Amino acid sequence: MNNKPPYSPYYGYPQGEVKQAPSYKQQNNKTHFAMGLAAGAAVAYLLSNKKFQQGVSSTGEKAWSAVRGEVEELKERLEDTQAELDYYRNLNKGEK
């Protein structure tokens, strides 16, 4: 007879006994915690650093200014296009 345990139709999920997580996953949890702790400390340091805050705000202001300028340019182009469309519509009305 076959001594293998029955398997579910879902690939990789055996029915029956549940195995414990391998030891590398337990070690990995400690590594993830340490990395998270280091990343959190780095972020906290950067956010409390005045020079970093000034640099971020300066860059943000420049980016926002550029976005506003591009939006204004886009508005002007749309207004010009609308004016051209109105002009050509009025030309075609006179021909009918």
Side-chain angles (χ1 to χ4, degrees):
M1 262 197 133
N2 190 355
N3 290 337
K4 291 183 180 179
Y7 284 92
S8 109
Y10 303 104
Y11 180 76
Y13 293 100
Q15 293 176 345
E17 68 180 82
V18 178
K19 295 182 180 179
Q20 190 175 7
S23 64
Y24 73 87
K25 285 190 177 181
Q26 293 170 350
Q27 292 170 353
N28 224 2
N29 285 340
K30 292 177 185 176
T31 303
H32 286 148
F33 176 74
M35 292 298 288
L37 189 65
V43 168
Y45 173 75
L46 287 176
L47 292 178
S48 63
N49 187 338
K50 293 290 182 191
K51 285 185 179 181
F52 180 78
Q53 290 174 352
Q54 290 171 351
V56 168
S57 65
S58 172
T59 303
E61 288 173 11
K62 289 176 186 176
W64 182 247
S65 176
V67 167
R68 281 192 318 201
E70 292 298 321
V71 168
E72 290 300 320
E73 180 68 27
L74 181 60
K75 284 181 184 178
E76 288 178 17
R77 288 183 183 181
L78 288 174
E79 288 172 0
D80 292 345
T81 303
Q82 184 64 42
E84 287 181 28
L85 286 173
D86 290 342
Y87 171 77
Y88 288 118
R89 284 183 188 149
N90 289 334
L91 276 180
N92 290 337
K93 283 183 183 178
E95 292 177 3
K96 291 182 180 179

